[in-house]
Amino acid sequence: MKTKNPLNKLPLLKLLYASLHSIFLVFITFAILYFDFPYGDDKLVISFTSLFEKFILKTEQKPDRNSFLFVNTAYQNELIPRYDDEGFEIGNVSITDRNSVALFLNRVNAVEGGYKFILLNIDPGIHSAGDTLLRPQLEKSSNTVITCEYDPQPGKVELPDKGYSGYAYYPLYGGEYVKYRLMKNDTLKSIPLILYELSNGREMKMGFPLNLINDRFSLNNIIIDFIIRKHDLDYKLSDAPYPIVNLGEILELPDDIFIEMIENRMILIGDFTERDFYPTTFGDMPGTLILLNVLLTMQAGKNIVNFNLVLLLFIFFAVISYFIFDVTKKEKLKEKIVKYRVLRFLRKYLGFVFILLIFSVFLYMMFNIHLNVLILGLYLNILDTIIIRFNLKKSTEESEAAQ
C-alpha cells in the first residue's frame, strides 16, 4: 500500500516547503561566510578557481599603473630598545624610521592637492622618539590612513588626533591568506574599508549576516582578488611594472621630480622587499600589497551582494530542496536503504558535495563568493536521510494498520 503523504498529492505544498527551505539555506550560506573561520575546503576551491581564472582564462585587467606609487621602507630603519613584559630592556628591535617617514609626509603636505590617498603601513604599537615628528605631519595630511593594531589596548597605541586609522589583519585560511575581514565591530574598521569609504563617499555599517554600505548589502569577509601581485613591482619580472621607489631615494629627489611622482596617485608606504610578507595562493605577498588588493576587490564591487546573486542562490537551493522533499521518488528506494545504509549515506554525501562544488566554482567566477560545500553537503544529506526514514516508518505503520 502506497504512502498517503500529503506531499504526494499537493505539488504546491512541496514547492512551498522547498521555497521556505531555500530561504533558510540562503541565510545559512551568508551566515557561514560572515564568520571568520578557516574552512579547509574554502581555501581549496578559492585557490584552484583563482589560478584557473587568472592563468588559463586570463580574464583579469590590471589597474592603471599611473594611479599608484609604492614607497619601500625596507631599507630605511632605526633601532629602538626592546623590553620584556616586566619593563626590562632585552635588546633592540628594527622598525621603520619615523623621522624619514615624517620628512616624506612633510614634503607631500607642502604640495597643494598633489596626491589622492596615502596608505601608511608601519609597525603599529611600536613607538620611537621619531613619533614626535611624525604625529604633526599625520595630523596635517588629508586622506591618509595609518595602521593600528587589530586588538588595540587602551593607552598602547597612540594615534593622531586628526586623520584616519584602520587595522591591518591577515587571517590564515588553510595556511594562506585568501579572505579579508572588513570590520571587526561597529567602530574598528580595516584600512581597505576606510580607503574605500573615503574614495567613494560611502559608509559601511555592521550587520548580520550582511553589512550595509549605504543602501547596498555587502559581505564582511571577502575573497581577495590579487590583481596586483609581487612580480608586478619588479622590472625584471614584469614588462610594465608599477612604480616603486625606496623611501631614502625619494627624499633626495628635487621638488619638480618629486611632485611629478606623487601627483594624482595613491601612495602606498610599506615594506615591499624584505620582511612584511604573507603566504598566498600566488606566493608570498607584501602586507601592504594585500591591503591594496582588498581595496581593489571592493572597488570592483566584488564584496556587494546583489539581487541576481540572491535570486540564483534561491533557485539553486529551491531545486535541491524540491527533490529532497519529493517523497514519491523516495518510496522506490526503501529496499536499498535497508540493505545499504552506510554506503548510500556516503554516496549521497559525495553527490551533494559534487553538485555544491560545481555551483560554488560558478559563483566564485561570477560573484566572487563561494559555498562551504562540506557543511552544506552534510546538512542536505542528513536532511534527506531523515525524510526518507520518516517516510519509510510512516509507510510501514500504514501498511500494518491496513492488514
Side-chain angles (χ1 to χ4, degrees):
M1 183 176 179
K2 293 186 177 181
T3 305
K4 297 179 181 179
N5 195 301
L7 290 178
N8 294 341
K9 297 182 178 181
L10 298 176
L12 291 179
L13 191 57
K14 279 191 290 187
L15 287 175
L16 176 61
Y17 284 173
S19 298
L20 293 176
H21 187 245
S22 178
I23 294 174
F24 169 73
L25 288 177
V26 171
F27 177 83
I28 291 299
T29 296
F30 289 123
I32 292 175
L33 294 176
Y34 178 88
F35 292 107
D36 190 12
F37 186 82
Y39 305 104
D41 57 312
D42 292 0
K43 183 262 178 183
L44 180 63
V45 173
I46 295 169
S47 298
F48 174 79
T49 311
S50 297
L51 293 171
F52 179 79
E53 186 179 32
K54 294 187 182 301
F55 297 115
I56 304 299
L57 299 181
K58 297 182 179 180
T59 57
E60 70 175 4
Q61 294 183 346
K62 299 286 186 182
D64 182 10
R65 283 163 172 76
N66 295 321
S67 298
F68 307 100
L69 174 64
F70 297 88
V71 179
N72 184 31
T73 63
Y75 310 116
Q76 207 72 18
N77 300 313
E78 63 174 315
L79 286 178
I80 63 171
R82 179 77 173 186
Y83 300 94
D84 61 17
D85 295 336
E86 303 298 328
F88 294 101
E89 184 175 339
I90 57 175
N92 296 317
V93 60
S94 176
I95 66 170
T96 301
D97 182 27
R98 303 297 201 268
N99 292 326
S100 297
V101 176
L103 289 174
F104 176 78
L105 291 180
N106 182 52
R107 292 192 67 179
V108 169
N109 291 332
V111 180
E112 190 71 27
Y115 63 94
K116 288 184 177 179
F117 301 97
I118 295 178
L119 192 167
L120 180 55
N121 187 19
I122 59 176
D123 318 281
I126 303 178
H127 305 288
S128 74
D131 288 342
T132 56
L133 296 177
L134 179 58
R135 282 176 59 85
Q137 296 304 324
L138 286 172
E139 293 179 355
K140 293 178 183 178
S141 300
S142 60
N143 294 341
T144 298
V145 183
I146 183 174
T147 51
C148 70
E149 290 186 311
Y150 182 67
D151 291 302
Q153 300 175 12
K156 184 176 181 182
V157 181
E158 296 181 7
L159 298 171
D161 297 328
K162 300 178 182 179
Y164 306 93
S165 62
Y167 65 79
Y169 174 53
Y170 309 101
L172 279 172
Y173 286 80
E176 295 179 358
Y177 296 91
V178 296
K179 298 179 70 177
Y180 200 86
R181 187 173 187 174
L182 299 178
M183 292 184 68
K184 182 183 178 185
N185 51 48
D186 292 333
T187 58
L188 189 55
K189 299 181 178 182
S190 65
I191 281 182
L193 174 58
I194 294 176
L195 287 170
Y196 176 83
E197 291 179 337
L198 290 174
S199 59
N200 291 274
R202 298 180 176 181
E203 182 180 3
M204 177 176 283
K205 295 183 179 179
M206 200 80 169
F208 180 81
L210 299 171
N211 292 350
L212 193 65
I213 300 182
N214 288 16
D215 58 343
R216 308 183 72 182
F217 291 106
S218 168
L219 298 171
N220 193 41
N221 288 294
I222 65 173
I223 300 173
I224 308 172
D225 185 9
F226 289 100
I227 303 172
I228 302 178
R229 299 183 284 279
K230 181 185 175 183
H231 76 273
D232 291 316
L233 306 182
D234 193 335
Y235 72 93
K236 296 179 181 178
L237 302 176
S238 175
D239 296 331
Y242 286 85
I244 181 171
V245 61
N246 292 319
L247 177 57
E249 295 174 341
I250 197 171
L251 290 175
E252 301 297 326
L253 294 177
D255 289 342
D256 56 339
I257 299 179
F258 181 88
I259 293 173
E260 182 181 350
M261 290 194 70
I262 70 170
E263 192 172 17
N264 204 31
R265 298 175 188 260
M266 174 183 287
I267 304 172
L268 300 106
I269 306 173
D271 183 347
F272 294 99
T273 56
E274 294 296 328
R275 296 179 298 177
D276 188 31
F277 282 81
Y278 304 89
T280 72
T281 302
F282 303 94
D284 290 344
M285 198 82 67
T288 308
L289 201 54
I290 293 177
L291 299 176
L292 173 60
N293 279 296
V294 176
L295 172 62
L296 295 176
T297 302
M298 296 187 68
Q299 289 180 338
K302 295 184 177 182
N303 61 304
I304 299 299
V305 176
N306 57 37
F307 175 78
N308 292 335
L309 170 59
V310 176
L311 179 62
L312 185 61
L313 285 170
F314 173 79
I315 294 175
F316 174 76
F317 286 131
V319 171
I320 291 182
S321 299
Y322 184 87
F323 283 101
I324 289 178
F325 289 117
D326 191 355
V327 182
T328 305
K329 295 180 184 293
K330 290 177 171 39
E331 291 178 0
K332 301 176 182 179
L333 302 173
K334 289 186 291 186
E335 294 183 3
K336 294 182 180 180
I337 295 171
V338 175
K339 294 178 62 177
Y340 308 108
R341 294 179 182 178
V342 176
L343 183 61
R344 172 168 167 72
F345 185 88
L346 293 176
R347 183 178 65 82
K348 283 197 307 174
Y349 178 59
L350 293 177
F352 280 125
V353 167
F354 178 76
I355 294 172
L356 291 168
L357 180 62
I358 297 299
F359 187 60
S360 183
V361 171
F362 173 77
L363 286 177
Y364 174 72
M365 297 182 68
M366 295 297 297
F367 301 101
N368 201 53
I369 79 161
H370 63 95
L371 301 177
N372 188 280
V373 297
L374 296 183
I375 292 179
L376 289 175
L378 181 61
Y379 165 76
L380 292 173
N381 195 21
I382 292 175
L383 177 64
D384 186 62
T385 301
I386 291 175
I387 291 177
I388 292 176
R389 283 290 185 192
F390 176 80
N391 185 62
L392 177 59
K393 181 180 179 180
K394 189 170 184 179
S395 177
T396 302
E397 291 176 350
E398 290 181 352
S399 297
E400 292 176 353
Q403 294 178 357

